[in-house]
Amino acid sequence: MKSNGGSNIKVLGLVGSPKIDGNTSRLVNAVLEGAAEKGAETVVYNIASLDIKGCDACGRCQEQGCCVINDDMQELYREIQTADVIVLGSPVYMWQVTAQTKLLLDRMTAFLRPNFSSRLEHKKLILVFSQGIQDRDAFKPYFEYTAGLLYYLGFDVLDTLIAAGTDKLEVAFRPRLLENAKDLGRLISVSNLPGLEYNRIELSRTPSL
């Protein structure tokens, strides 16, 4: 899905849920819709629909500057490198990101040089998590760990959006939550993006009436 506008900002959405139109997908797309309203170019991929193999730890990416596995990850490398902001979303399965998202994260080792510095120029990133449990802090240490990992890979984490209690009330029935996600997209679509903030936003489980 692409939308071209007057802004020179490109926002890339990466959905790590196996459910094509699930809670995580709706949230990521809401952020992108808000950015598109302000003229940003947007593109979104559902990782589960792509052919992405596991990292085989050959180490050649650090020597050659690119991964040698010829699959759909090659396209995502190009998209990440040309994007100004990445919106990465995953539901929580077994206290972690999904297997599809983990494949993506493992293959991002190709962005590291032999000395483990990043080839990326501090890409801006927003994390989006959906979880069935209603306690928003249940996975806080893991979310912070994931943000730290992505910072190590060369991403500046602007915000972490958490949609809790989705087993009881799905995102589709929570218009206030979706509007909050759109507001964030509108905010990040401006030409002067903020620097590293490492923030955490918790989206309300209460739908607007």
Side-chain angles (χ1 to χ4, degrees):
M1 178 185 72
K2 292 187 178 181
S3 173
N4 296 308
S7 172
N8 60 351
I9 297 297
K10 177 179 177 180
V11 184
L12 168 66
L14 298 172
V15 180
S17 173
K19 296 181 179 180
I20 303 300
D21 195 29
N23 293 307
T24 304
S25 178
R26 289 178 184 272
L27 279 174
V28 170
N29 278 286
V31 177
L32 267 60
E33 287 169 15
E37 288 178 10
K38 293 297 184 178
E41 175 189 355
T42 64
V43 58
V44 62
Y45 289 84
N46 188 287
I47 301 171
S49 301
L50 303 178
D51 174 26
I52 300 179
K53 298 177 176 61
C55 174
D56 59 11
C58 70
R60 284 179 286 177
C61 61
Q62 292 187 347
E63 300 172 2
Q64 301 178 16
C66 61
C67 180
V68 298
I69 300 175
N70 186 20
D71 59 7
D72 290 337
M73 190 65 198
Q74 297 298 334
E75 183 174 356
L76 292 190
Y77 287 137
R78 291 189 291 270
E79 292 285 1
I80 291 170
Q81 289 170 329
T82 59
D84 298 287
V85 183
I86 293 92
V87 183
L88 173 61
S90 174
V92 175
Y93 289 174
M94 296 297 291
W95 291 45
Q96 300 181 65
V97 296
T98 62
Q100 291 85 357
T101 308
K102 187 59 166 61
L103 283 173
L104 173 75
L105 294 176
D106 284 353
R107 293 287 298 280
M108 282 187 183
T109 190
F111 289 130
L112 296 177
R113 298 187 179 95
N115 65 356
F116 296 102
S117 64
S118 177
R119 292 187 171 93
L120 297 175
E121 295 295 329
H122 290 286
K123 294 287 182 181
K124 308 301 181 183
L125 183 134
I126 292 171
L127 285 170
V128 176
F129 294 106
S130 62
Q131 61 184 58
I133 191 171
Q134 296 188 36
D135 180 2
R136 297 183 184 93
D137 289 329
F139 306 108
K140 180 180 178 180
Y142 177 71
F143 294 158
E144 292 176 345
Y145 162 82
T146 303
L149 166 64
L150 287 158
Y151 177 72
Y152 173 72
L153 289 172
F155 296 91
D156 286 350
V157 180
L158 302 180
D159 284 296
T160 298
L161 277 59
I162 300 169
T166 53
D167 282 350
K168 299 292 185 181
L169 188 61
E170 294 183 359
V171 167
F173 301 104
R174 294 152 70 173
R176 185 180 301 169
L177 186 153
L178 289 170
E179 190 60 31
N180 287 344
K182 286 183 181 180
D183 284 343
L184 179 57
R186 297 180 185 112
L187 185 65
I188 64 172
S189 64
V190 299
S191 57
N192 294 319
L193 290 168
L196 177 62
E197 295 183 8
Y198 207 81
N199 287 338
R200 182 170 177 264
I201 290 180
E202 297 177 337
L203 300 183
S204 172
R205 292 186 292 109
T206 305
S208 58
L209 300 178

